[in-house]
Amino acid sequence: MELSEAMRTTGTCRHYSDEPVPDKVLYDAFDVARFGPQGGNRQPVRWIVVRDEAKKKALADLYLPYWEAYYAAISDGTKDVGAVPKTIRSANEFAHNLASVPVLIVVVAELAGLHPTDAELDRLSVVGGASIYPTMQNLCLALREQGVATAVTTLLCHEEPAVNELLGIPEGYLTAAHIAVGYPRDHFPTKLTRSPVEDIVSIDEFDAPMFR
């Protein structure tokens, strides 16, 4: 698969078949994902592959209350996510069937391997994720190349202490995301909807579009 095709079709999959994902497929994806860029080559990312049905159910049970609150806010209009109703319904179905996804991957990062240079700014700190999320996206692309779909969620990070206890994650590590993994029930998207380049790229200053 051409890299550009993989990048254009690695959307969020919310409906999965029950076909198991072989260990070899996961191994090959992890093998290339590990080359993602990261600060100082510290390699902070660790992966926990969850296949155990009881543990998947426990993770899903922790996840659902946060989704329900989010969904309620969308439904009553207090939360505007800009998504079409079909997408919201699909996300709701995904949340209620999370435990049935063949594989859940917990993305873990060693705190000592992160260097958030924006921690003292008067805003949300995000820079620490720069050594995590490129590697995670590599994994999603590597799975897509093999015909395996993914969905990345961070809602379950609210329950980090409970997830740590459930999966035996030691102190000094954080949970950065959770990835649903499996073969798609339907098909991969052929055309994802994204803002055009003209709307998102500027030159020399914020309000100067580079392309018109």
Side-chain angles (χ1 to χ4, degrees):
M1 172 177 287
E2 290 287 337
L3 176 61
S4 59
E5 180 185 356
M7 293 171 70
R8 287 177 176 269
T9 59
T10 305
T12 298
C13 178
R14 296 187 176 92
H15 300 102
Y16 297 84
S17 76
D18 57 5
E19 181 181 355
V21 180
D23 286 355
K24 179 65 163 57
V25 169
L26 293 173
Y27 182 95
D28 288 348
F30 289 128
D31 191 34
V32 294
R34 62 196 173 97
F35 290 97
Q38 55 213 273
N41 194 28
R42 297 182 180 185
Q43 303 182 53
V45 175
R46 300 292 182 270
W47 317 91
I48 302 176
V49 176
V50 182
R51 278 203 176 112
D52 180 83
E53 295 298 331
K55 289 185 177 180
K56 286 196 298 178
K57 176 66 164 56
L59 291 172
D61 288 345
L62 290 169
Y63 178 91
L64 195 56
Y66 293 97
W67 167 256
E68 293 284 18
Y70 188 63
Y71 184 64
I74 296 171
S75 300
D76 65 21
T78 58
K79 187 78 171 179
D80 181 13
V81 296
V84 298
K86 179 181 178 181
T87 300
I88 298 302
R89 289 195 300 271
S90 180
N92 191 46
E93 292 171 10
F94 168 79
H96 283 85
N97 291 280
L98 185 61
S100 66
V101 175
V103 175
L104 296 178
I105 296 177
V106 183
V107 185
V108 179
E110 186 179 13
L111 285 163
L114 306 177
H115 183 54
T117 55
D118 62 345
E120 295 181 0
L121 295 178
D122 188 21
R123 63 155 174 77
L124 177 71
S125 176
V126 299
V127 173
S131 289
I132 303 171
Y133 299 115
T135 302
M136 184 187 74
Q137 181 64 7
N138 267 11
L139 180 71
C140 294
L141 290 170
L143 288 168
R144 172 66 186 92
E145 182 184 34
Q146 300 182 80
V148 179
T150 54
V152 175
T153 177
T154 56
L155 274 180
L156 196 50
C157 292
H158 284 292
E159 288 288 347
E160 183 174 280
V163 173
N164 288 353
E165 182 177 356
L166 177 69
L167 303 180
I169 300 171
E171 290 186 13
Y173 288 83
L174 59 79
T175 55
H178 301 76
I179 311 173
V181 177
Y183 292 97
R185 186 192 66 187
D186 304 314
H187 52 75
F188 286 97
T190 56
K191 185 178 180 181
L192 293 170
T193 302
R194 298 291 187 266
S195 299
V197 171
E198 290 80 359
D199 290 353
I200 60 175
V201 181
S202 59
I203 183 166
D204 294 331
E205 59 184 55
F206 187 87
D207 289 328
M210 184 170 183
F211 305 101
R212 298 179 184 275

